[in-house]
Amino acid sequence: MNSRNLVKLFLTTLLIGGVTGGVVGFLARWSEFKPYFSSFEVSAILSTFIWLFGVGLIFSVISQAGFFAYLTIHRFGLGIFKSASLWNAVQLVLILFVVFDLVYLRYLSFGSGEGISSYIVLALVVLAAGLITAYFKMKQANKQSFIPALFFMVVVTVLEWVPVLKTNDEGWLYFMLFPLLVCNAYQLLVLSKLIEISQKELADRRGRKQTPAKGKMKAGQLGKGS
């Protein structure tokens, strides 16, 4: 990918994270911000949205750091296991382990006196988002891309989500989760398109460079013939 499309990916993901953070922030913490809408305090709503937008930008940066870290890990995994199918099997085991821990360890830490259903639901939300994104990635690329896409959407998202998981504040859990999921899904699905665009732009540049060179050569040949 060339630098122009890399910057484009960074800025668009940043914007998506900010907007998602602004919208989801109001919904996830509605009990806190409902009075602003009830009394129609425009200045309070705008200032809160700007703050939520800024936090969404931070979530977007975390998402992008995780995405490029995973691209590196994925290459290392393929190099170590020497087989895409074996590396996919390892990733599948890690996915199951993370989903189990997302339910069980959180329930052990915070679930005293509560039912486990809410912890299962939250894990299913992450898993469902991962499965949907991985399905579209598979349609976009090939069957081998399904497990890596699912791994990124589940395992990497949970790792990025750890700071808020430790607090177990419901409002912040959803506030951070959805911007991460949206940014991660966007990067995963748009990457191959940007790579294709970069390759076409590179080919066009090479074609433009070769055309003047051929023109000069023909002019030189005509000069020799005369």
Side-chain angles (χ1 to χ4, degrees):
M1 187 189 304
N2 59 30
S3 57
R4 187 173 70 85
N5 286 315
L6 190 62
V7 172
K8 181 180 178 181
L9 175 63
F10 173 76
L11 293 177
T12 51
T13 307
L14 203 64
L15 180 62
I16 288 170
V19 172
T20 307
V23 174
V24 174
F26 277 118
L27 297 176
R29 302 171 64 188
W30 179 247
S31 59
E32 183 180 343
F33 301 128
K34 184 180 178 180
Y36 298 160
F37 291 89
S38 300
S39 56
F40 200 65
E41 298 178 29
V42 177
S43 59
I45 293 171
L46 287 176
S47 60
T48 303
F49 179 81
I50 291 170
W51 181 78
L52 294 172
F53 183 90
V55 178
L57 296 181
I58 296 172
F59 295 159
S60 173
V61 171
I62 294 172
S63 167
Q64 294 187 65
F67 181 62
F68 286 101
Y70 173 68
L71 291 178
T72 303
I73 292 170
H74 184 62
R75 299 313 304 175
F76 273 119
L78 289 172
I80 292 171
F81 293 99
K82 307 294 184 182
S83 168
S85 58
L86 181 57
W87 171 227
N88 282 348
V90 172
Q91 290 181 96
L92 184 58
V93 171
L94 291 174
I95 291 167
L96 296 174
F97 179 77
V98 167
V99 171
F100 174 78
D101 280 351
L102 184 59
V103 176
Y104 183 68
L105 292 183
R106 288 188 64 244
Y107 180 71
L108 286 181
S109 300
F110 307 108
S112 57
E114 298 180 33
I116 197 173
S117 59
S118 61
Y119 297 90
I120 295 174
V121 168
L122 198 59
L124 289 176
V125 168
V126 177
L127 185 60
L131 288 170
I132 293 169
T133 305
Y135 172 79
F136 283 107
K137 184 64 180 180
M138 180 182 68
K139 290 292 185 181
Q140 187 184 74
N142 52 58
K143 291 182 179 180
Q144 289 294 328
S145 64
F146 183 86
I147 297 299
L150 183 62
F151 179 89
F152 172 69
M153 288 299 298
V154 174
V155 177
V156 177
T157 298
V158 170
L159 290 175
E160 295 167 346
W161 197 25
V162 163
V164 173
L165 283 173
K166 289 181 178 180
T167 65
N168 201 43
D169 183 294
E170 185 176 356
W172 277 93
L173 282 173
Y174 290 102
F175 178 32
M176 187 175 189
L177 173 62
F178 285 100
L180 286 178
L181 288 174
V182 172
C183 289
N184 285 344
Y186 171 76
Q187 292 177 97
L188 194 63
L189 295 175
V190 82
L191 180 65
S192 57
K193 294 180 181 179
L194 290 178
I195 291 175
E196 288 179 9
I197 292 171
S198 298
Q199 290 173 343
K200 289 179 181 178
E201 289 175 350
L202 180 60
D204 290 341
R205 287 179 187 175
R206 287 175 178 173
R208 285 195 297 268
K209 286 180 180 179
Q210 289 175 358
T211 301
K214 290 179 180 179
K216 289 179 181 179
M217 184 174 64
K218 288 180 180 179
Q221 289 173 349
L222 287 173
K224 290 179 181 179
S226 60

